[in-house]
Amino acid sequence: MKYWLVKSEPSVWSWDDQVKAGTTDWSGVRNPQATINMKTMKKGDRAFFYHSNEGLAVVGICEIAKEAYPDPSDKAGKFVQVDVKPLEAFKQPVTMAEIKATPGLKDMVLVKNSRLSVQPVTAAEWKAVCKMGGLKS
DNA sequence: GCCAACGTTGGC
DNA sequence: GCCAACGTTGGC
């Protein structure tokens, strides 16, 4: 199983929205590298749900419910989307500041390339962040 | 609100 | 196909 991190601005689409909506498509990604990452995702992979701009924290865990397929909002047909299903909310959000202050998490893509909206997360990073968020993993 | 980092666009 | 200019993202 692989681990990922997806980003959303809570003013546009928040974790609460995701929980209320249940399984939804993760559409609108228009970045080549993020697209490659989504194409690599397998059903059953896990992804952190991160709030950018406001909150600046990992707030919950999603499961990839459906592997990459064409994003209907992309007329050119170049970009893809996956389906995500909310699994579990963190007991406490893990903020960017905490991640930066934690040895071993400083190399997370979130820190290194904060603009990438769909990122890989290593197993070690996954475990550490889950623990900080109050979840077993 | 500012600005650094990154992507994209378009003239050549 | 290069690269300067511009636009966007997102942390601070």
Side-chain angles (χ1 to χ4, degrees):
Chain A
M1 177 185 328
K2 286 211 161 63
Y3 301 105
W4 308 94
L5 180 148
V6 296
K7 273 192 313 194
S8 183
E9 298 185 37
S11 59
V12 178
W13 185 253
S14 70
W15 169 254
D16 285 344
D17 292 331
Q18 188 72 60
V19 170
K20 271 182 217 150
T23 303
T24 64
D25 55 337
W26 195 262
S27 65
V29 173
R30 292 294 180 271
N31 175 284
Q33 213 181 333
T35 299
I36 290 168
N37 287 337
M38 286 200 295
K39 285 180 177 172
T40 312
M41 290 175 172
K42 297 286 182 209
K43 193 178 175 189
D45 282 357
R46 301 288 165 88
F48 286 138
F49 193 109
Y50 177 80
H51 279 170
S52 64
N53 281 318
E54 304 162 46
L56 306 185
V58 178
V59 291
I61 293 173
C62 288
E63 179 179 316
I64 307 306
K66 186 176 178 183
E67 294 176 15
Y69 59 103
D71 183 341
S73 70
D74 173 30
K75 295 286 189 288
K78 271 191 293 186
F79 294 103
V80 299
Q81 61 186 14
V82 295
D83 284 359
V84 297
K85 173 185 168 189
L87 283 188
E88 211 171 357
F90 274 15
K91 303 266 190 285
Q92 66 215 18
V94 178
T95 65
M96 169 67 86
E98 288 176 80
I99 287 169
K100 280 190 165 176
T102 305
L105 295 181
K106 286 176 183 170
D107 288 333
M108 278 186 77
V109 181
L110 188 65
V111 177
K112 288 281 179 69
N113 183 4
S114 60
R115 288 191 54 188
L116 185 58
S117 58
V118 180
Q119 318 176 349
V121 172
T122 69
E125 289 162 355
W126 182 268
K127 208 174 168 184
V129 174
C130 283
K131 196 176 174 189
M132 289 162 74
L135 298 184
K136 272 180 275 178
S137 72

